[in-house]
Amino acid sequence: MKKILLVVHQETSDPGLIGQVLRELKYELDIRCPALGGDLPVTMDEHEGAIIFGGPMSANDEHSLPFIRTELDLLSVVLAAEKPYLGVCLGAQMLAKVLGARVAPHPNGILEIGYVPILPTVEGADFLAPITHVYHWHKEGFELPQDAVLLAEGETFTNQAFRYGETAYGVQFHPEITKQMIDLWTTKAGDQLVLPGAQPYEEHIVGHDRYGATVESWLRQFLQHWLNHPQVTTTSSR
């Protein structure tokens, strides 16, 4: 069975819908957590692609958190091997950093937490359709790396999605989110819901009910395209 490398950052991390769709596409999920002492492969020979998910740490923490340096080094390996890469939130910021772009908090201290509107660029119209709102939970954003293609923009954090080369993608948002994950995140980090830019729990649920199915449909199509996989017919299980 073909394997996809999934890098997570907490004991309770869950690949959510991304993991579900990859399993439906008959991929084995090789889930690693360097933050808890797990190792990472030194080559991509045994994996069809790699995904780095989000986490509360920063892509700039490589000096205080050695596993961040390890993950940044892995990204260089993935890019050199020209294997498909998807960076989700922190994973997108890491991709931007490896490519020489700046990662930093919003200058006014604003966060994005909850469902937030995004707009496709001209280059990203096919990539993003038909999404209008996506789920966020982050305090940092990234500049667009040199030679990358901006695919989506937002009002608070301008750069929301980009592509580098043909198979490396970074998205600032969380397409893997499920209702159960929203409940867990808002419980574990409920203190953040009062920070500037954060939405109250009720708005998270309203947003998920309104936009979640559209994001899931997009995610299924995107992952098939990203892995150059034949389309399969599946049923939603949000």
Side-chain angles (χ1 to χ4, degrees):
M1 182 180 289
K2 296 179 178 180
K3 289 195 296 186
I4 301 290
L5 177 65
L6 306 185
V7 180
V8 299
H9 296 99
Q10 299 181 87
E11 186 175 0
T12 56
S13 295
D14 187 337
L17 284 174
I18 289 178
Q20 176 184 319
V21 175
L22 290 175
R23 289 187 181 99
E24 291 171 1
L25 293 173
K26 308 303 181 185
Y27 286 93
E28 177 185 346
L29 307 188
D30 183 5
I31 301 176
R32 311 279 186 104
C33 188
L36 297 179
D39 62 354
L40 291 175
V42 296
T43 75
M44 287 296 293
D45 292 348
E46 297 183 359
H47 298 85
E48 299 300 311
I51 303 173
I52 297 181
F53 286 87
M57 56 289 297
S58 170
N60 297 317
D61 286 343
E62 71 266 34
H63 300 298
S64 58
L65 299 174
F67 69 85
I68 295 292
R69 179 71 265 165
T70 302
E71 293 183 29
L72 294 171
D73 291 342
L74 168 70
L75 247 169
S76 297
V77 172
V78 177
L79 294 175
E82 299 184 341
K83 291 291 184 78
Y85 173 77
L86 174 61
V88 175
C89 197
L90 173 60
Q93 296 161 7
M94 285 184 171
L95 177 59
K97 183 179 177 68
V98 165
L99 296 173
R102 180 172 176 264
V103 175
H106 191 279
N108 297 325
I110 302 174
L111 289 72
E112 284 185 320
I113 298 180
Y115 272 90
V116 178
I118 58 172
L119 291 173
T121 62
V122 172
E123 295 83 357
D126 291 338
F127 164 78
L128 201 63
I131 291 180
T132 61
H133 292 68
V134 287
Y135 193 76
H136 288 76
W137 196 303
H138 67 101
K139 64 180 180 181
E140 293 189 313
F142 52 82
E143 293 180 346
L144 185 67
Q146 185 176 355
D147 298 326
V149 178
L150 185 63
L151 301 174
E153 297 178 304
E155 182 176 345
T156 302
F157 287 85
T158 301
N159 300 324
Q160 289 288 332
F162 70 96
R163 185 185 74 247
Y164 179 77
E166 295 300 319
T167 58
Y169 288 83
V171 296
Q172 184 64 81
F173 49 93
H174 288 276
E176 81 278 19
I177 202 71
T178 65
K179 167 65 165 54
Q180 292 74 20
M181 292 169 68
I182 291 175
D183 288 343
L184 176 63
W185 293 9
T186 54
T187 298
K188 284 186 60 182
D191 57 320
Q192 296 188 32
L193 300 185
V194 300
L195 299 175
Q199 299 170 7
Y201 170 77
E202 291 76 16
E203 289 189 30
H204 294 226
I205 299 306
V206 169
H208 193 67
D209 289 343
R210 183 173 298 167
Y211 305 114
T214 301
V215 175
E216 178 178 344
S217 177
W218 168 83
L219 176 66
R220 292 180 178 279
Q221 295 178 21
F222 167 73
L223 289 176
Q224 290 163 357
H225 166 77
W226 177 63
L227 293 166
N228 193 24
H229 196 286
Q231 187 166 352
V232 296
T233 300
T234 56
T235 57
S236 172
S237 56
R238 282 198 308 137

